[in-house]
Amino acid sequence: MKKLCLAVGTFIALMISELRSSSATPNRFQFSEPQRRTYVAPLGIGANLPTSQTAQWIYAWPEDRPDQPVELGRRVVLAVPPGTAIAPLLGTRPLRLPREIHPGWWVLEAPDAWIAAIQAEELHALPQVIACFPAARALFSLQDLYAPAPSDPYFSQQWHLEYRNSAAAHLGADLNIRAAWPTTRGENVLVSVVDNGVELTHPDLADPFSLGPHFNFGDGTPNAGPSLSTASHGTAVAGLIGAQGNNQRGVSGVAPGAKFASWVIFKGSVLDPDTVEMKSMFEAQSNIVHVQNHSWGAGGTALYPIPPLEEIGISNAVFSGRDGRGVLIVRASSNGRKSLADANADGYAVDPRVITVSAARSDGRTTRYSNPGACVLVAAPSAEVAEGFSSNLDSSFPSLVTTDLTGFSGANASVGLNDSADYRFGTSGFSGTSGSTPLVSGVVALMLSANPTLSYRDVQQALLLSSRHLDLADPLLLTNGAGLRVSYNLGYGIPDAGAAVQRALQWTSRPTLTTVTRTFATNVGSTKAITDDGLRVEVTGTNVPAGLASIPVTATFGAHADVPTALLPITAVELANQPLDSLTGRAALVSRGGNSFTEKIQNCAAAGAQLVLIYNNQGTTERSQMLSTDFATVPAVMMGRSAGTDLAAMIATNSSLRVRLRLLATVCSVEITNTLISEHVKVRLQTDHSRRGDLRVTLVSPSGTRSILQRLNNDSSAGPADWTYSSVAHFYESTAGTWKLEVSDQEPGNVGNVLRADLTVSGVAIRDSDRDGLEDSWEASHFGNLASTGSGDPDADGVPNSVEQVMHTKPLAVDVPFRLDVSPWSSQILRLSWPGLAGATYRILESVNPEGPYTEIESIPGAFPVTEYFTLLGTDTSRLLRVERVIP
């Protein structure tokens, strides 16, 4: 067994300082004194220094580096040629206790720091003196990699920031915010909250919102408070992003050090400005505002394009704002999932220039309301709602705790003896993608605070690379050709704020974006016509009647058979309302009723079924949409009553029957010869179909990654007549090769044709002869050949080659050193953390002697990118802990 070891005392912390060589020309300092602002002057203007005031330390900074403040003390460092007698130099100067610490180097002491500064300047001017300067101390402090819990009394309920129990065990999804705060809290970043107004006098918001620029785009005034007396939405959003932290009051925002502007566009819940003012809003103050938070969207089932003027405003903000680096526009995917809405139908959300955010509940699964979509980049925590079409919060999952209108006006009007009415929690807690979106805006603010040079593309990519999925059972979660996990439900997952800040610090700006557009063509032998009702169960075997050979069916909203399933034997299991005997390698025929669709599918899948066929054995309705089946892990469909009854009868007497699920889709293809590292991908689709909601549209990349651009929905309008979809699922794949667009009809009675389809790929151009997304020179220099892949991870550090290339790290070596951080998690619990690897095992050992022996106290699995271990502090200060990675 090989080991990587590091011993660390329980109360040891590390501080790194820089040793600077002396110079014959000392630094000149400027001074800043709170009570004596007039005495800001370079050393040497002795008449202006307050010699009458005693000071042990003077706050100062080198005049050429105001970003590196120091403190000057009472001691003076004097350098003269070795052997020089210093008594004649000093004479009657108020300097005493001369001490030679190195030949020719003397330390002297003055009565106070001001006198020391004056004397150092005067001595330096003497010809026999090499150098003389005040002894300075750097303003370093011990820095943990994990911030202490803030003093805000409701922080312990803000699970979206840190979701742990009292023993520090993780309970579910959070932003890991305490790993970001030691580096930044969002300082020097301005976020505009585009909403229905913010209570600017709220005790937790007054300071962050003190400067503005505030504006009401509905009435054209700077009045940016709540647009109605009960308009609490904007105040809740603002608290999630930037409520003042560590002030012994209420809650903390994700970026409590940022500043904010309130931009009002809603009067209550009704959009107030016209499209001219909306354009003005998007482009307003674009060199001052860093981030715009939009907790709103079109959100319905019908297609909603961005109005032309607003398109111009967004372009101006993104391409000209922040001195060309681009304003970060963060917006909600919206809350229409229960009505089968999709974020790709919202022109605002589908725009590749914005960050579209969905919502995950506390266990990491997407919420029942959050719109899915190929355009969703990331997700963030939010509350869950009850099953069915109720809007009531599901008490099984916590809601978001944030600021509320003070007193009786807000969502929480339970005024008591404390300030609890000024905050939302519990049944009055905040929810929706309106809540998840500001959390991402806060993380983006932290990233820009850590590295202001990031462009909007840099932020998008660093953010998605810092996100992770907790719900690995999501049936629509896949690994793309670059080795990145991405989901139609949650994009690249929930950001880790600590990882996002570190990515921002280490990020190298991406090269210029290249965009290529090509037109799809239909495959040879195919037509542009879209087959009506094209999802079919095909039945084979002896004596199968023509009416059962190809049965039209309606799919669930979870796992979907875009490619034909295997031919499977079939078993009838009646209602499937309880655990079933083995169905491994088989299809199950299930009758409707007795329990939910979801339970039927779960029971069959648990028994090993690879395909579930549900038929309607009651009433007159032949087929229906199986709502709330978003998490079906195997393909499942519903067929009509007559077909299901006939098939059940045949199963009882015909063992030769085999079934498979097949989608009859119109397939269009296009060859891209440009070798780009892919970023956003867009498809412009034109059809004359008579009902858009019947269509399923998917895009398959040369790597085999499938994006769901549109699924079955309830839009009864014709089309899409002309709509542009976008997908984030192909980040860092190679664009070169054959792309396929598949359009299918999944309901009866409406028909149409694909008239035209165009593919636009964007990314960074590279020389990539084997079309794997890795630049030839980079691949050859690291591997010696071109046999690697973008998704490969030869050093097993959890970072695929595609990301190693972007981050300029080494694909054959773990770049992050095996380093322990020791930080107090609470007054009783200590947190140890180190760069971890998924699949690795780490041993925790302890001793009272640095030389050992060490005794193993626990063995834990590794987690990427950081592995943690928590232990009680105790009172034994001689206790030593060691971590070993077990390498087989």
Side-chain angles (χ1 to χ4, degrees):
M1 180 179 69
K2 299 179 181 179
K3 304 175 182 177
L4 291 173
C5 306
L6 179 64
V8 58
T10 300
F11 299 102
I12 292 178
L14 299 177
M15 181 178 70
I16 300 174
S17 60
E18 183 179 357
L19 179 63
R20 302 179 186 273
S21 60
S22 298
S23 168
T25 303
N27 284 326
R28 293 164 63 83
F29 288 92
Q30 291 179 319
F31 299 90
S32 174
E33 188 184 11
Q35 286 75 37
R36 294 178 176 269
R37 297 292 184 186
T38 57
Y39 297 115
V40 178
L43 261 174
I45 309 178
N48 286 343
L49 294 177
T51 55
S52 62
Q53 179 170 339
T54 300
Q56 295 296 312
W57 296 96
I58 303 171
Y59 184 82
W61 58 89
E63 64 179 358
D64 60 336
R65 290 304 303 270
D67 59 333
Q68 292 185 354
V70 297
E71 288 183 316
L72 305 181
R74 296 163 50 214
R75 295 198 288 186
V76 174
V77 178
L78 172 67
V80 294
T84 300
I86 66 166
L89 290 177
L90 300 182
T92 60
R93 295 178 182 276
L95 297 171
R96 58 190 182 88
L97 302 176
R99 179 165 57 97
E100 190 173 27
I101 60 174
H102 188 75
W105 287 86
W106 294 79
V107 176
L108 314 167
E109 190 170 305
D112 64 43
W114 290 112
I115 294 174
I118 296 170
Q119 293 297 317
E121 183 75 2
E122 292 179 357
L123 283 170
H124 177 71
L126 299 179
Q128 60 268 54
V129 173
I130 298 174
C132 190
F133 49 87
R137 69 180 180 188
L139 296 179
F140 292 141
S141 61
L142 298 179
Q143 295 291 319
D144 295 324
L145 295 182
Y146 207 70
S151 62
D152 311 281
Y154 301 137
F155 174 79
S156 61
Q157 299 180 46
Q158 291 187 275
W159 60 275
H160 55 276
L161 299 180
E162 181 182 51
Y163 196 23
R164 299 179 185 271
N165 63 17
S166 59
H170 239 129
L171 299 178
D174 66 22
L175 295 179
N176 191 29
I177 196 64
R178 288 172 64 181
W181 282 345
T183 303
T184 176
R185 294 175 185 261
E187 293 82 1
N188 303 314
V189 172
L190 179 61
V191 182
S192 63
V193 179
V194 186
D195 217 285
N196 65 0
V198 176
E199 186 177 68
L200 303 177
T201 58
H202 191 289
D204 246 352
L205 301 175
D207 182 69
F209 279 84
S210 60
L211 299 179
H214 307 308
F215 199 74
N216 187 317
F217 290 89
D219 61 20
T221 71
N223 180 17
S227 54
L228 295 176
S229 61
T230 56
S232 62
H233 190 273
T235 300
V237 167
L240 290 170
I241 310 175
Q244 187 175 359
N246 211 34
N247 62 347
Q248 300 182 5
R249 181 189 297 275
V251 296
S252 176
V254 174
K259 297 300 182 182
F260 296 85
S262 173
W263 290 358
V264 181
I265 63 170
F266 285 92
K267 191 168 185 178
S269 60
V270 178
L271 188 66
D272 200 13
D274 63 15
T275 191
V276 176
E277 290 306 315
M278 288 292 285
K279 171 189 178 293
S280 299
M281 177 273 295
F282 277 115
E283 64 191 11
Q285 303 287 348
S286 63
N287 278 326
I288 298 175
V289 170
H290 300 79
V291 184
Q292 295 179 15
N293 183 88
H294 297 266
S295 288
W296 58 275
T301 304
L303 298 176
Y304 185 89
I306 301 176
L309 285 180
E310 294 176 45
E311 162 72 27
I312 294 171
I314 292 172
S315 294
N316 289 341
V318 173
F319 296 129
S320 300
R322 292 178 59 237
D323 297 320
R325 291 186 292 270
V327 175
L328 274 299
I329 299 177
V330 186
R331 67 174 317 107
S333 71
S334 295
N335 305 330
R337 185 188 197 98
K338 291 185 176 183
S339 300
L340 303 183
D342 186 302
N344 274 55
D346 180 352
Y348 297 109
V350 82
D351 193 320
R353 298 165 298 187
V354 310
I355 295 171
T356 299
V357 182
S358 63
R361 64 193 194 188
S362 59
D363 62 357
R365 172 177 282 192
T366 188
T367 61
R368 298 182 180 110
Y369 52 78
S370 179
N371 285 6
C375 61
V376 172
L377 188 73
V378 292
S382 193
E384 180 61 291
V385 294
E387 291 192 52
F389 280 80
S390 170
S391 60
N392 295 328
L393 296 183
D394 186 340
S395 60
S396 302
F397 301 92
S399 60
L400 297 176
V401 180
T402 184
T403 47
D404 191 18
L405 299 181
T406 54
F408 290 97
S409 298
N412 177 17
S414 302
V415 177
L417 299 177
N418 54 28
D419 65 354
S420 61
D422 302 343
Y423 298 90
R424 299 182 63 165
F425 51 86
T427 56
S428 64
F430 203 46
S431 63
T433 53
S434 285
S436 56
T437 301
L439 299 183
V440 173
S441 292
V443 174
V444 170
L446 296 176
M447 296 169 70
L448 291 177
S449 175
N451 184 353
T453 68
L454 297 177
S455 72
Y456 81 96
R457 287 172 55 220
D458 296 331
V459 171
Q460 287 186 4
Q461 294 175 52
L463 182 67
L464 73 87
L465 291 177
S466 305
S467 301
R468 72 281 195 219
H469 286 273
L470 277 70
D471 180 21
L472 301 184
D474 179 351
L476 302 182
L477 178 66
L478 55 85
T479 300
N480 73 7
L484 303 178
R485 283 177 174 162
V486 61
S487 165
Y488 173 68
N489 289 312
L490 299 174
Y492 287 89
I494 300 169
D496 181 310
V501 167
Q502 293 306 309
R503 288 271 191 220
L505 289 170
Q506 300 160 9
W507 194 261
T508 300
S509 293
R510 299 297 291 143
T512 302
L513 191 70
T514 297
T515 300
V516 177
T517 299
R518 298 287 184 270
T519 299
F520 283 100
T522 55
N523 285 344
V524 175
S526 298
T527 67
K528 293 183 179 180
I530 305 168
T531 302
D532 185 37
D533 213 8
L535 186 61
R536 309 292 176 84
V537 170
E538 296 183 336
V539 183
T540 63
T542 58
N543 301 320
V544 175
L548 290 184
S550 181
I551 306 171
V553 291
T554 300
T556 68
F557 297 95
H560 193 282
D562 288 289
V563 297
T565 65
L567 276 170
L568 302 169
I570 184 168
T571 299
V573 294
E574 297 184 352
L575 294 176
N577 57 359
Q578 56 188 355
L580 301 168
D581 294 334
S582 176
L583 294 170
T584 301
R586 304 183 71 84
L589 180 65
V590 186
S591 58
R592 183 179 183 181
N595 58 341
S596 68
F597 294 128
T598 297
E599 291 170 342
K600 294 178 187 295
I601 298 167
Q602 287 175 340
N603 287 335
C604 292
Q610 296 181 21
L611 175 62
V612 180
L613 313 177
I614 301 173
Y615 71 98
N616 189 0
N617 63 339
Q618 51 188 276
T620 58
T621 302
E622 282 295 290
R623 284 153 53 191
S624 65
Q625 293 175 344
M626 294 185 287
L627 300 176
S628 302
T629 56
D630 300 70
F631 298 97
T633 56
V634 297
V637 295
M638 170 173 270
M639 64 179 61
R641 180 174 184 176
S642 59
T645 302
D646 291 346
L647 185 58
M650 286 197 67
I651 291 172
T653 60
N654 191 339
S655 62
S656 70
L657 294 183
R658 297 292 185 272
V659 297
R660 70 173 178 181
L661 186 58
R662 183 183 177 196
L663 180 61
L664 304 178
T666 297
V667 180
C668 308
S669 62
V670 65
E671 182 78 12
I672 298 291
T673 58
N674 304 74
T675 53
L676 311 180
I677 300 174
S678 178
E679 294 183 18
H680 291 272
V681 176
K682 298 193 293 185
V683 171
R684 181 181 180 185
L685 177 62
Q686 299 172 338
T687 79
D688 61 2
H689 199 278
S690 56
R691 189 177 189 276
R692 186 185 78 87
D694 288 6
L695 298 185
R696 178 178 178 85
V697 183
T698 65
L699 176 69
V700 183
S701 72
S703 299
T705 304
R706 185 181 297 272
S707 291
I708 303 171
L709 304 181
Q710 177 179 306
R711 64 176 182 174
L712 186 69
N713 63 75
N714 292 329
D715 185 5
S716 59
S717 303
D722 191 349
W723 186 254
T724 299
Y725 305 89
S726 74
S727 174
V728 300
H730 307 285
F731 261 96
Y732 300 156
E733 292 185 345
S734 172
T735 60
T738 301
W739 292 77
K740 294 181 180 180
L741 180 69
E742 299 181 6
V743 183
S744 59
D745 180 310
Q746 300 198 354
E747 291 280 24
N750 291 278
V751 295
N753 305 279
V754 174
L755 303 179
R756 181 186 173 105
D758 298 295
L759 174 70
T760 299
V761 295
S762 63
V764 174
I766 60 172
R767 184 180 296 276
D768 180 16
S769 58
D770 57 350
R771 297 182 167 190
D772 60 358
L774 302 177
E775 178 143 21
D776 288 348
S777 59
W778 184 88
E779 191 173 2
S781 67
H782 287 286
F783 300 105
N785 55 51
L786 301 183
S788 299
T789 64
S791 61
D793 183 16
D795 56 2
D797 63 352
V799 182
N801 292 331
S802 63
V803 179
E804 300 265 18
Q805 174 180 244
V806 170
M807 295 297 298
H808 303 286
T809 51
K810 299 174 183 177
L812 294 176
V814 177
D815 296 84
V816 181
F818 186 67
R819 172 194 168 197
L820 279 179
D821 174 66
V822 184
S823 301
W825 182 76
S826 68
S827 58
Q828 293 83 32
I829 296 175
L830 189 72
R831 175 185 181 265
L832 274 69
S833 66
W834 57 92
L837 301 178
T841 300
Y842 297 91
R843 301 172 65 212
I844 315 297
L845 305 99
E846 69 175 354
S847 177
V848 295
N849 189 324
E851 303 299 323
Y854 283 86
T855 303
E856 180 176 336
I857 56 177
E858 194 166 349
S859 179
I860 63 174
F864 176 80
V866 174
T867 303
E868 301 172 309
Y869 175 73
F870 293 87
T871 183
L872 293 175
L873 275 169
T875 57
D876 184 1
T877 58
S878 64
R879 181 186 180 209
L880 296 168
L881 297 175
R882 184 166 77 183
V883 174
E884 297 178 352
R885 177 187 166 197
V886 180
I887 304 178

